[in-house]
C-alpha cells in the first residue's frame, strides 16, 4: 500500500489535507499555510511512484502567531493581471508586525502599475496603511490586526515579487494580578510606526500599584511628544499624570495613590529603538500608613499594619519625608522596634534606613533591624527621610517612632535686606563651646549685592586656621565680575578684624568650626544687601565685570567698587572691551578709576570717561587692583565692559 500525506509545518501541528493512493491523478490540493509537508510511505508492493509541482497560491488566510507570505511563483516572476489578497486574521488587541526579506514589484511611486497595498482591517476598503512598489526593501510595518495585504499586477512587465514575514505581538491590555510584568509589543531592537498601546493595572482594594521600569530604551523627542510612555495615577488618561518618559534613562519607581495605574505607549513616527519592560506589584501607600509627608512640628509614625493583626505587611517599601520649619532640626526617637534579625551582621530583608536630608540620596545615617532600639538621632537641617523595607516571608511587630522639631543651636538660612542684621558665635559674648559646627546661608534678592562686616572677632590663632575658624564661601553660581564657582572667599582666625566682604553673587555661606580645646568669645557679624548689583571681590586668574544693567544703561547715582585679587605672585592686566561713560569731558561727575593696589589709598590710574575705543591696557605692580565706578547721571546710552588676566 502506498499513500501520500499533505500536511502542515510540523508533525505535531500539521493538518491532514489529503491521503492519496492508486493510479488516478488527483486534483490540486490547496494548503492554507505557506509551508507544506509531504510524507510518502510504502508497504512493500511496487509502483511507478509520483511527481508533483508546487505553486504559490494567489491569496490566503493566516491565523498563526507567525508566518511567511510570498507572491505567486516566488522566487520566480509573478504573473500578469493578478488580484491576490492575503489576510492575517487576528484580534484588534494584537499588533501585526511585517518585516520584508525581499521586495521587487514593478513600478514606482505612486505605484500605478503593480502594487502591494496594506490595509488595517479585513477588506481593501479599510484604512490604507501603505502602498508599496519598486525594488527597495520596505521598512518594517506595524498595524493593529486584522491586516490585509492586497497584491495587484497589470498586463505588462512582471518581477520576482516579495517575501514578507509577520509576527503578532500583544499591545497593552488589562492586568488584575497582584504582581506581574508589562512591556512594549516587542523588545530587542524592535521597529514600529504609529502605535498607541494602553495598559490598565488594577490591584486589590486598599492597595496601591508600585511600578518599576527594568529596561527603557526609547528615542528622545522634544518634551517627549513623538515617542513616550505616559503613566497616569488612575484608570484612564483623565487621571493625574505621574510622568511622561522617553530616552534611555530609567524612569523612577512610581506609585499610584489608589488601586489602579494607567500607561500609554505612544509612537507618532517610525521608531527603531528597543522598547521597554516594567514590573508591578501591589503594596501599601501613604493612605494606608506606608510613608508620606510629615510636616507638623511633632508627630508619630510606625510600620503599617492594615489588617490589625499586630504585624507589619510583607513586600513593603515605605518612605516618610519629615519636613519641619526652616532653621529647625528634627529629633527622632524609636519607642518600639522588632524586625527580622540581621544575617551575618547585615540587615538584608526587613530594615529601617535613616537619611539626613530631604531624600534617599542624602547622607545615610544608619540601617537598623533586629530587636535593639536604634539610637535617637538629630538631623543637621530641617529635613529627615526614613525608609522601611520588608521582605516576602517574616512578619513581626515592627516599629514606632516619634519626632519633634527643635531650634538650631546655630546656623540656618537667613534672608538679607537693606536693614542690618546680625549673627554671633554660640554663647557670644561668652565663650563658645568646643566641637561646635555652624552653617549659615545668607541670601539676598536676585540682582542685589551683599556686604558682610565683621564687628568683633576673637578666635585662637593657628597655622592656616586649621583649629577654630570662620570660613566664608561664595555661592556656587557665576555672577557679573567673576568666573569663580563656589569660590572660597576666606578662612579666618585670630583676633584681626577682616575687611568688609562682598560676595560675587546674591548669596554666600558661613561655616564656623571649633575643636576640642578651650574657645574664645567668638565673633559678631552684620550684613546688609543693596540693589546696586555691582561691586565685590573678584578672585581668580582671569575674569570680567561690567557696569550695572550692561549692555543697557546704568542707573543714576550709581557707585560700585571692585577688588580684583589674582594668585599671589601674579600681576594683573586690565583690558577695556567696551567703554562709554556719559560725561562732559572733565570726568568729575561720571568716571571710572583704577588703583594699583588693594584699596583707594593705592596709586590711582585715570579717571576715564566719555567714549573711548582705544584705551591702552593697564598692568598692575602686584596681585591687587581696586576699581571705582561713580556715575551721578546718564543722559545718553552708557556702559562698559572690562576683562582682566594675570
Amino acid at each position: 500500500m502506498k499513500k501520500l500525506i499533505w500536511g502542515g509545518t510540523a508533525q505535531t501541528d500539521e493538518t491532514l489535507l489529503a491521503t492519496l493512493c492508486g493510479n488516478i491523478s488527483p486534483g490540486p490540493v490547496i494548503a492554507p499555510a505557506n509551508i507544506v509537508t509531504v510524507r510518502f510511505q510504502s508497504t512493500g508492493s511496487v509502483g511507478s511512484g509520483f511527481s508533483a509541482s508546487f505553486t504559490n497560491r494567489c491569496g490566503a488566510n493566516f491565523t498563526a502567531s507567525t508566518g511567511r507570505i510570498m507572491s505567486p511563483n516566488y522566487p520566480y516572476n509573478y504573473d500578469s493581471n493578478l488580484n491576490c489578497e492575503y489576510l492575517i486574521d487576528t484580534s484588534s488587541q494584537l499588533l501585526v508586525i511585517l518585516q520584508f526579506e525581499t521586495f521587487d514589484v514593478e513600478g514606482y511611486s505612486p505605484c500605478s502599475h503593480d502594487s502591494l497595498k496594506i490595509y488595517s482591517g479585513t477588506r481593501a476598503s479599510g484604512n490604507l496603511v501603505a502602498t508599496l512598489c519598486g525594488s527597495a526593501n520596505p521598512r518594517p510595518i506595524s498595524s493593529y490586526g486584522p491586516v490585509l495585504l492586497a497584491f495587484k499586477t497589470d498586463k505588462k512587465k512582471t518581477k520576482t515579487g516579495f517575501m514578507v514575514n509577520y509576527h503578532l505581538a500583544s499591545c497593552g491590555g488589562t492586568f488584575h494580578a497582584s504582581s506581574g510584568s508589562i512591556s512594549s509589543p516587542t523588545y530587542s531592537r524592535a521597529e514600529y510606526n504609529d502605535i498607541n498601546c494602553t495598559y490598565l493595572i488594577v490591584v486589590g482594594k486598599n492597595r496601591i500599584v508600585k511600578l518599576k521600569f527594568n529596561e527603557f530604551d526609547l528615542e528622545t523627542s522634544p518634551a517627549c511628544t513623538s515617542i513616550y510612555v505616559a503613566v497616569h495615577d488612575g484608570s484612564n488618561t483623565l487621571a493625574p499624570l505621574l510622568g511622561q518618559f522617553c530616552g534611555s534613562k530609567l524612569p523612577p519607581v512610581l506609585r499610584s495613590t489608589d488601586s489602579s495605574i494607567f500607561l500609554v505607549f505612544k509612537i507618532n513616527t517610525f521608531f527603531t529603538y528597543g522598547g521597554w519592560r516594567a514590573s508591578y506589584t501591589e503594596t501599601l501607600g501613604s493612605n494606608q500608613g506606608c510613608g508620606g509627608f510629615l510636616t507638623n512640628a511633632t508627630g508619630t509614625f510606625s510600620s503599617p499594619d492594615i489588617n490589625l493583626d499586630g504585624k507589619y505587611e510583607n513586600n513593603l517599601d515605605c518612605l516618610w519625608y519629615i519636613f519641619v520649619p526652616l532653621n529647625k532640626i528634627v529629633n527622632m526617637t524609636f519607642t518600639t522596634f522588632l524586625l527580622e534579625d540581621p544575617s551575618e551582621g547585615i540587615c538584608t530583608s526587613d530594615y529601617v534606613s535613616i537619611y539626613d536630608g530631604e531624600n534617599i540620596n542624602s547622607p545615610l545615617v544608619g540601617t537598623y533591624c533586629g530587636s535593639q532600639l536604634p539610637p535617637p538621632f538629630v538631623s543637621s537641617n530641617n529635613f529627615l527621610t526614613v525608609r522601611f523595607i520588608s521582605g516576602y516571608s517574616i512578619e513581626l511587630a515592627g516599629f514606632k517612632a516619634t519626632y519633634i522639631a527643635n531650634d538650631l543651636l546655630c546656623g540656618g538660612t537667613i534672608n538679607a535686606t537693606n536693614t542690618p542684621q546680625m549673627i554671633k558665635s554660640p554663647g557670644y559674648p561668652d565663650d563658645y563651646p568646643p566641637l561646635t559646627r555652624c552653617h549659615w546661608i545668607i541670601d539676598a534678592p536676585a540682582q542685589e549685592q551683599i556686604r558682610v562686616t565683621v564687628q568683633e572677632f576673637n578666635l585662637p590663632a593657628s597655622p592656616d586656621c586649621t583649629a577654630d575658624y570662620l570660613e566664608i564661601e561664595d555661592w556656587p553660581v557665576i555672577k557679573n565680575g567673576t568666573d569663580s564657582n563656589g569660590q572660597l572667599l576666606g578662612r579666618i582666625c585670630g583676633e584681626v578684624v577682616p575687611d568688609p566682604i562682598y560676595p560675587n553673587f546674591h548669596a554666600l555661606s558661613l561655616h564656623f568650626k571649633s575643636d576640642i580645646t578651650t574657645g574664645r568669645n567668638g565673633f559678631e557679624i552684620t550684613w546688609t544687601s543693596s540693589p546696586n548689583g555691582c561691586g565685590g571681590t573678584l578672585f581668580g586668574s582671569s575674569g570680567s565685570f561690567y557696569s550695572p544693567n550692561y549692555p543697557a544703561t546704568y542707573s543714576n547715582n550709581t557707585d560700585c567698587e571692585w577688588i580684583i585679587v589674582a594668585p599671589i605672585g601674579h600681576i594683573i592686566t586690565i583690558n577695556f572691551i567696551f567703554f562709554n561713560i556719559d560725561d562732559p569731558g572733565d570726568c568729575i561727575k561720571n568716571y571710572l578709576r583704577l588703583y594699583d593696589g588693594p584699596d583707594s589709598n593705592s596709586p590711582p590710574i585715570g579717571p576715564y570717561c566719555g567714549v573711548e575705543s582705544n584705551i591702552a591696557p593697564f598692568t598692575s605692580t602686584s596681585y591687587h587692583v581696586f576699581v571705582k565706578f561713580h556715575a551721578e547721571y546718564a543722559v545718553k546710552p552708557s556702559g562698559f565692559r572690562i576683562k582682566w588676566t594675570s
Side-chain angles (χ1 to χ4, degrees):
M1 178 182 179
K2 311 173 186 66
K3 60 180 179 180
L4 182 65
I5 300 176
W6 304 67
T9 60
Q11 188 172 358
T12 58
D13 187 37
E14 61 187 14
T15 301
L16 181 64
L17 302 177
T19 302
L20 308 174
C21 60
N23 56 8
I24 300 175
S25 295
V29 177
I30 300 175
N34 54 15
I35 300 177
V36 175
T37 300
V38 180
R39 185 173 297 110
F40 174 65
Q41 294 179 204
S42 174
T43 61
S45 58
V46 178
S48 59
F50 69 92
S51 65
S53 61
F54 302 89
T55 59
N56 291 336
R57 184 183 175 190
C58 181
N61 283 4
F62 299 84
T63 58
S65 59
T66 62
R68 175 177 290 172
I69 302 171
M70 295 179 289
S71 56
N73 304 327
Y74 184 87
Y76 305 105
N77 282 23
Y78 52 78
D79 297 324
S80 300
N81 298 315
L82 294 178
N83 187 358
C84 310
E85 292 188 349
Y86 306 86
L87 176 63
I88 304 172
D89 196 2
T90 184
S91 72
S92 59
Q93 291 296 317
L94 292 176
L95 193 68
V96 179
I97 300 177
L98 303 171
Q99 292 179 300
F100 289 84
E101 288 194 24
T102 61
F103 193 86
D104 189 13
V105 173
E106 189 255 341
Y108 49 86
S109 181
C111 302
S112 56
H113 296 285
D114 301 350
S115 66
L116 176 65
K117 294 186 177 182
I118 300 172
Y119 296 90
S120 176
T122 60
R123 298 183 179 182
S125 58
N127 179 41
L128 181 63
V129 176
T131 300
L132 307 173
C133 61
S135 58
N137 222 28
R139 296 185 304 185
I141 294 174
S142 60
S143 178
Y144 294 101
V147 168
L148 180 71
L149 285 74
F151 180 48
K152 288 188 177 182
T153 66
D154 60 14
K155 62 182 179 179
K156 297 181 181 179
K157 195 174 184 180
T158 65
K159 294 289 186 80
T160 57
F162 59 86
M163 180 166 63
V164 56
N165 296 320
Y166 78 86
H167 67 274
L168 307 181
S170 60
C171 178
T174 301
F175 304 83
H176 289 284
S178 59
S179 63
S181 62
I182 57 175
S183 66
S184 52
T186 59
Y187 202 80
S188 177
R189 310 306 296 177
E191 304 193 46
Y192 315 97
N193 63 295
D194 299 325
I195 69 171
N196 184 5
C197 304
T198 60
Y199 307 75
L200 173 61
I201 301 171
V202 182
V203 296
K205 186 179 180 181
N206 291 327
R207 296 292 192 272
I208 67 165
V209 182
K210 175 186 174 183
L211 182 71
K212 179 182 179 182
F213 286 89
N214 309 109
E215 297 175 84
F216 200 85
D217 190 15
L218 303 181
E219 289 182 359
T220 301
S221 62
C224 294
T225 54
S226 297
I227 302 172
Y228 61 84
V229 174
V231 184
H232 294 266
D233 185 14
S235 59
N236 52 48
T237 56
L238 300 178
L241 185 67
L242 294 176
Q244 188 158 310
F245 309 101
C246 60
S248 58
K249 183 179 179 182
L250 279 176
V253 175
L254 300 173
R255 291 173 172 83
S256 64
T257 56
D258 209 333
S259 59
S260 62
I261 203 167
F262 190 79
L263 287 83
V264 177
F265 177 37
K266 180 73 173 177
I267 298 178
N268 296 320
T269 183
F270 185 74
F271 168 65
T272 60
Y273 270 42
W276 54 270
R277 296 181 189 274
S279 58
Y280 72 89
T281 184
E282 70 174 19
T283 185
L284 302 181
S286 58
N287 291 340
Q288 297 82 35
C290 180
F293 289 88
L294 308 177
T295 58
N296 292 330
T298 183
T300 301
F301 61 99
S302 60
S303 50
D305 178 17
I306 194 169
N307 55 10
L308 302 178
D309 64 351
K311 300 176 181 179
Y312 54 79
E313 311 294 323
N314 285 326
N315 191 30
L316 296 180
D317 184 357
C318 308
L319 281 169
W320 288 272
Y321 302 96
I322 304 174
F323 173 39
V324 298
L326 195 65
N327 297 329
K328 299 279 188 178
I329 54 176
V330 182
N331 190 334
M332 189 180 72
T333 303
F334 287 91
T335 56
T336 62
F337 199 87
L338 181 58
L339 305 183
E340 184 179 355
D341 289 331
S343 174
E344 298 181 355
I346 300 175
C347 300
T348 58
S349 183
D350 301 359
Y351 57 86
V352 172
S353 294
I354 303 173
Y355 300 88
D356 187 13
E358 59 192 57
N359 53 47
I360 59 174
N361 296 318
S362 304
L364 176 64
V365 176
T367 297
Y368 308 97
C369 58
S371 58
Q372 184 175 352
L373 278 175
F377 177 73
V378 178
S379 66
S380 60
N381 54 38
N382 59 321
F383 289 100
L384 189 65
T385 301
V386 180
R387 185 178 193 178
F388 173 51
I389 298 288
S390 68
Y392 295 91
S393 56
I394 296 178
E395 298 177 0
L396 296 172
F399 69 89
K400 187 174 182 179
T402 63
Y403 74 91
I404 187 170
N406 292 331
D407 292 328
L408 278 170
L409 172 65
C410 60
T413 301
I414 308 165
N415 294 322
T417 66
N418 58 3
T419 301
Q421 300 179 69
M422 181 179 296
I423 58 174
K424 303 175 183 179
S425 54
Y428 185 88
D430 297 326
D431 290 352
Y432 51 78
L435 299 177
T436 297
R437 300 289 187 275
C438 304
H439 176 67
W440 292 271
I441 295 175
I442 301 174
D443 193 5
Q447 308 303 321
E448 291 208 359
Q449 178 75 47
I450 295 176
R451 173 189 172 101
V452 175
T453 303
V454 180
Q455 307 288 351
E456 301 286 343
F457 196 79
N458 185 6
L459 302 184
S462 64
D464 300 323
C465 296
T466 55
D468 297 12
Y469 61 80
L470 177 67
E471 195 172 72
I472 304 173
E473 188 177 31
D474 193 16
W475 200 251
V477 179
I478 297 173
K479 183 184 183 284
N480 171 17
T482 182
D483 56 4
S484 66
N485 190 11
Q487 175 72 49
L488 179 65
L489 302 181
R491 174 184 286 190
I492 52 179
C493 59
E495 299 179 3
V496 177
V497 175
D499 293 332
I501 298 167
Y502 298 89
N504 302 305
F505 192 55
H506 65 83
L508 83 162
S509 58
L510 304 176
H511 308 272
F512 173 55
K513 169 190 170 292
S514 68
D515 63 12
I516 201 168
T517 59
T518 303
R520 304 282 186 91
N521 62 341
F523 55 84
E524 183 180 72
I525 296 174
T526 62
W527 71 89
T528 59
S529 68
S530 69
N532 288 341
C534 66
T537 302
L538 315 180
F539 290 91
S541 58
S542 63
S544 67
F545 60 96
Y546 36 85
S547 54
N549 304 322
Y550 181 86
T553 302
Y554 46 81
S555 303
N556 294 340
N557 300 313
T558 295
D559 279 289
C560 307
E561 294 180 349
W562 292 271
I563 303 172
I564 302 174
V565 182
I568 296 176
H570 289 215
I571 58 175
I572 299 169
T573 298
I574 303 289
N575 288 279
F576 295 83
I577 306 303
F578 177 83
F579 194 89
N580 182 5
I581 294 179
D582 186 12
D583 190 82
D586 53 11
C587 297
I588 294 177
K589 293 187 176 182
N590 306 308
Y591 62 85
L592 179 79
R593 180 176 283 121
L594 309 179
Y595 296 86
D596 190 6
D599 52 41
S600 58
N601 295 320
S602 306
I605 296 91
Y608 303 95
C609 64
V611 180
E612 297 284 353
S613 59
N614 193 25
I615 303 177
F618 163 72
T619 300
S620 67
T621 59
S622 71
Y623 65 96
H624 290 97
V625 170
F626 183 79
V627 182
K628 180 176 178 59
F629 173 51
H630 174 77
E632 297 181 11
Y633 65 87
V635 177
K636 301 177 182 178
S638 303
F640 63 85
R641 184 184 176 201
I642 292 174
K643 284 188 174 182
W644 90 87
T645 57
S646 67

